[in-house]
Amino acid sequence: MTHSTPPTPPRRSDATRKAILDAARERFATDGYDRATIRAIAKDASIDPSMVMRYYGNKEGLFAAAVAIDLRLPDPASLTREDVGRALVSHFLSMWEQNEVLTALLRVGVTNQAGAERMRGIFGDQLVPVARRMCPDPEQAPARAALVSAQLLGLALTRYVLRFPPAVDLAPEEAVAWLAPTVQRYLTAPYPA
């Protein structure tokens, strides 16, 4: 006779952490980093503020956890030099459309040093390896990744934060058609003379 172990129910601390992070993401997105408070986040999560401090230490720790983002970029080895621009723009548009955490981070990043540092770290750590694999001179990868970031973040800012009507009205495939050649050039073109 085989005994099977019943699945372990989720721990209460996991549910509490999730509630805190969900509330923090929402509060940082609406209020920005400076105006969001531990007390308001705790209230939104229906817990005591001391629990937020217990799990995350301080507001900076909570912010870092709330905006821990994996851009889930395609594996650089799976991208071709001929289609990397289209692949990245399509990927980022899809991410922005589905992930309000990215929009919250962008809002905070333009007004707060901690948010800006977090955004730099995420894009630097995750986009530079793609640039390094694609560009003709790997030493240019950081600059090329920064240019790609400027394009992608510029679109995100105008489309999802500032909500410029022409940017919002662009169908995703139109946005890809416009931006992909520029991103492609940033990653694969020879250094400009």
Side-chain angles (χ1 to χ4, degrees), residues 58-133:
N58 55 32
K59 186 172 162 179
E60 292 79 18
L62 175 60
F63 179 73
V67 298
I69 297 171
D70 178 359
L71 297 175
R72 297 190 311 270
L73 293 176
D75 176 6
S78 73
L79 298 171
T80 65
R81 288 181 58 84
E82 297 75 32
D83 200 40
V84 66
R86 177 169 294 285
L88 286 179
V89 175
S90 297
H91 177 79
F92 272 95
L93 267 175
S94 175
M95 289 278 303
W96 288 106
E97 296 281 334
Q98 299 170 15
N99 191 336
E100 73 282 350
V101 176
L102 283 171
T103 303
L105 181 58
L106 183 59
R107 281 191 185 110
V108 171
V110 297
T111 61
N112 175 271
Q113 185 59 35
E117 286 175 19
R118 190 78 185 122
M119 188 70 98
R120 281 192 298 271
I122 289 167
F123 274 76
D125 293 346
Q126 298 180 45
L127 199 53
V128 169
V130 174
R132 189 169 286 120
R133 181 163 174 88

Side-chain angles (χ1 to χ4, degrees), residues 4-178:
S4 64
T5 306
T8 306
R11 295 185 1 221
R12 187 175 312 164
S13 63
D14 293 340
T16 302
R17 286 179 195 274
K18 181 181 180 333
I20 293 168
L21 291 177
D22 289 346
R25 288 179 185 119
E26 184 65 33
R27 187 59 67 170
F28 286 131
T30 24
D31 293 352
Y33 180 85
D34 291 329
R35 290 187 13 232
T37 65
I38 295 289
R39 188 172 301 283
I41 291 166
K43 182 179 178 199
D44 294 347
S46 302
I47 60 164
D48 188 85
S50 66
M51 293 300 288
V52 177
M53 302 305 279
R54 176 179 168 204
Y55 287 121
Y56 299 101
N58 55 32
K59 186 172 162 179
E60 292 79 18
L62 175 60
F63 179 73
V67 298
I69 297 171
D70 178 359
L71 297 175
R72 297 190 311 270
L73 293 176
D75 176 6
S78 73
L79 298 171
T80 65
R81 288 181 58 84
E82 297 75 32
D83 200 40
V84 66
R86 177 169 294 285
L88 286 179
V89 175
S90 297
H91 177 79
F92 272 95
L93 267 175
S94 175
M95 289 278 303
W96 288 106
E97 296 281 334
Q98 299 170 15
N99 191 336
E100 73 282 350
V101 176
L102 283 171
T103 303
L105 181 58
L106 183 59
R107 281 191 185 110
V108 171
V110 297
T111 61
N112 175 271
Q113 185 59 35
E117 286 175 19
R118 190 78 185 122
M119 188 70 98
R120 281 192 298 271
I122 289 167
F123 274 76
D125 293 346
Q126 298 180 45
L127 199 53
V128 169
V130 174
R132 189 169 286 120
R133 181 163 174 88
M134 295 297 159
C135 73
D137 180 353
E139 289 192 20
Q140 298 169 355
R144 290 174 182 252
L147 291 168
V148 170
S149 297
Q151 288 295 308
L152 298 172
L153 293 172
L155 174 66
L157 183 66
T158 57
R159 186 174 173 99
Y160 303 107
V161 176
L162 300 175
R163 305 208 38 87
F164 287 6
V168 172
D169 295 343
L170 275 176
E173 52 277 359
E174 287 179 285
V176 170
W178 280 105

